[in-house]
Amino acid sequence: MMSLNRLRPAALRTASRVAFFSTKQQQQLIINAVGQDRLGIVSDMTKEVIDVGGNVGESQAAKLGKHFSLMMLVEVPGDKVDALQQNLSKMKDLTATVCLTDDSSDEPKVPSHPAIGYRGQLTLEGADNPGIVHKVTKILSTNGLNIDKLSTSDELAPGGSTVLFRMKGIAHAYKPLASGFDVGKIKQELAELGDALNCDIDLQDVTGEDYKQ
């Protein structure tokens, strides 16, 4: 199954926040694919891009239960977009969506690296609760933090009586920071939520070399 969508540049936001723009001859695409997890799925998908003369920029992959999800930012020659779509549609047990970015300018654009004013690493571990992801991310967004990366998992706790939930992610705020931006307040709100939900929630400042994108 294959579908083709068109995005405006402002809608392009990747986890590492590095923009990857088209030239006049090249078309920038976002490929989002979901399928049965199997050996070699990433290799097979990237081969399809390379075979039409394309190049893979950024990518993210995750195993979700028995399924596998892959998102890639790629560039391919403009006259090879249809061929790539057809080739991807023939891959077994895979559903792929190809989104064309709508960059109307003929001038090549340089990579964009927005300045980061704050970056923190979020960790959570404890009892699973309905709406826990929403409650945590609402605190972050309300206080001006964007989410870079976020992963969650759950498993039976020792003894098998309760489900242990884990969350890990990176959040940031761009410069200039808002006048009311208060990391201490954010950490306190997260800690109070953790107490209410019977879990440990922590936001650690990321500094030094790890602070760079």
Side-chain angles (χ1 to χ4, degrees):
M1 178 178 179
M2 179 67 57
S3 60
L4 177 64
N5 298 312
R6 186 172 297 275
L7 298 178
R8 296 191 63 81
L12 259 180
R13 298 181 62 189
T14 61
S16 62
R17 300 304 192 272
V18 179
F20 188 101
F21 294 96
S22 304
T23 65
K24 185 174 182 180
Q25 294 77 25
Q26 295 289 104
Q27 173 65 57
Q28 183 189 72
L29 310 171
I30 294 177
I31 301 174
N32 192 7
V34 178
Q36 292 288 333
D37 186 30
R38 61 174 175 79
L39 183 65
I41 187 171
V42 176
S43 175
D44 290 346
M45 285 197 61
T46 53
K47 180 179 182 298
E48 297 296 347
V49 176
I50 301 303
D51 284 352
V52 297
N55 180 58
V56 178
E58 300 174 41
S59 65
Q60 295 183 40
K63 186 176 182 297
L64 305 172
K66 296 181 180 180
H67 291 80
F68 188 84
S69 175
L70 175 64
M71 182 167 60
M72 299 189 298
L73 183 63
V74 307
E75 272 194 344
V76 301
D79 60 352
K80 297 295 184 180
V81 174
D82 290 343
L84 176 60
Q85 293 182 83
Q86 292 174 8
N87 294 342
L88 289 174
S89 68
K90 295 175 183 177
M91 293 185 67
K92 185 179 179 181
D93 297 327
L94 184 77
T95 300
T97 301
V98 178
C99 300
L100 276 67
T101 65
D102 186 12
D103 183 13
S104 57
S105 173
D106 289 339
E107 296 296 323
K109 296 180 174 61
V110 297
S112 174
H113 301 270
I116 300 294
Y118 173 82
R119 175 168 286 170
Q121 179 170 306
L122 174 75
T123 57
L124 180 154
E125 182 173 315
D128 194 10
N129 291 271
I132 189 171
V133 176
H134 168 69
K135 292 173 183 177
V136 172
T137 55
K138 183 178 180 180
I139 289 177
L140 298 180
S141 62
T142 300
N143 287 279
L145 283 178
N146 295 306
I147 296 173
D148 254 348
K149 300 178 181 179
L150 186 66
S151 62
T152 63
S153 62
D154 54 52
E155 61 185 56
L156 287 177
S161 58
T162 59
V163 176
L164 184 65
F165 184 81
R166 289 190 176 94
M167 181 189 303
K168 184 176 181 180
I170 298 291
H172 76 272
Y174 291 121
K175 288 183 178 180
L177 295 174
S179 59
F181 185 80
D182 186 341
V183 176
K185 174 177 174 288
I186 299 172
K187 294 179 178 180
Q188 180 63 33
E189 290 183 13
L190 290 172
E192 291 175 355
L193 177 63
D195 291 340
L197 299 179
N198 191 28
C199 59
D200 297 321
I201 308 177
D202 190 32
L203 181 67
Q204 290 289 331
D205 302 344
V206 178
T207 58
E209 290 300 316
D210 292 334
Y211 188 84
K212 297 179 180 180
Q213 296 193 73

